[in-house]
Amino acid sequence: MLERDHSGGGERRHDYAAVFAALGDETRLALVAKLSDGRPASIAQLTEAQSTGGSKMTRQAITKHLRVLERARIVHGVRAGRESLFALDPKPMEELREYLSLVSEQWDRSLARLKLYVEE
């Protein structure tokens, strides 16, 4: 999706669909919620957090979900000794929120015009 960059007049490419797809899974949403406290977490810590809700998730399953979130650039992993720590990058979601705000404003204007038309 192309969006006009108002700061320099150029165009930036955003892959909003990848962010929506990554957040479209309950497990990945829970992982993002866990990481939203600002502290990086290991796969072991994230596996523990996911397992408190009842069914136990394997490290492999958590890793698979983290890779999807990484591809969407929602999280990033860094090596810390023998383990990887994952942290949330809020920028893609902030950009998505801005995009949704823009779309919402467009709909509001369109509905206001429709209302004026219908009431005339």
Side-chain angles (χ1 to χ4, degrees):
M1 178 173 302
L2 294 177
E3 177 182 303
R4 172 102 17 222
D5 180 356
H6 299 288
S7 62
E11 291 182 343
R12 298 181 303 178
R13 177 151 179 87
H14 296 283
D15 193 358
Y16 299 123
V19 177
F20 276 122
L23 295 175
D25 179 89
E26 186 177 325
T27 300
R28 291 191 287 271
L29 277 175
L31 289 170
V32 167
K34 170 64 179 150
L35 293 170
S36 67
D37 66 4
R39 293 183 306 223
S42 68
I43 293 174
Q45 292 167 322
L46 293 169
T47 301
E48 274 180 33
Q50 286 302 109
S51 299
T52 59
S55 63
K56 178 132 173 84
M57 292 210 55
T58 65
R59 291 172 58 93
Q60 292 81 8
I62 295 295
T63 300
K64 177 184 161 191
H65 287 292
L66 287 169
R67 297 296 173 235
V68 172
L69 291 169
E70 275 187 315
R71 283 193 299 276
R73 294 187 165 96
I74 297 170
V75 302
H76 62 275
V78 293
R79 295 293 292 177
R82 292 179 45 199
E83 65 183 355
S84 292
L85 296 178
F86 290 85
L88 181 68
D89 181 358
K91 187 175 181 189
M93 289 184 286
E94 290 168 0
E95 291 173 350
L96 192 61
R97 183 178 26 222
E98 290 172 14
Y99 169 72
L100 290 174
S101 178
L102 179 85
V103 170
S104 178
E105 290 171 16
Q106 290 171 344
W107 272 103
D108 288 345
R109 286 191 303 271
S110 294
L111 290 173
R113 285 193 310 269
L114 177 62
K115 180 180 177 187
L116 285 173
Y117 176 78
V118 169
E119 289 176 347
E120 288 180 357

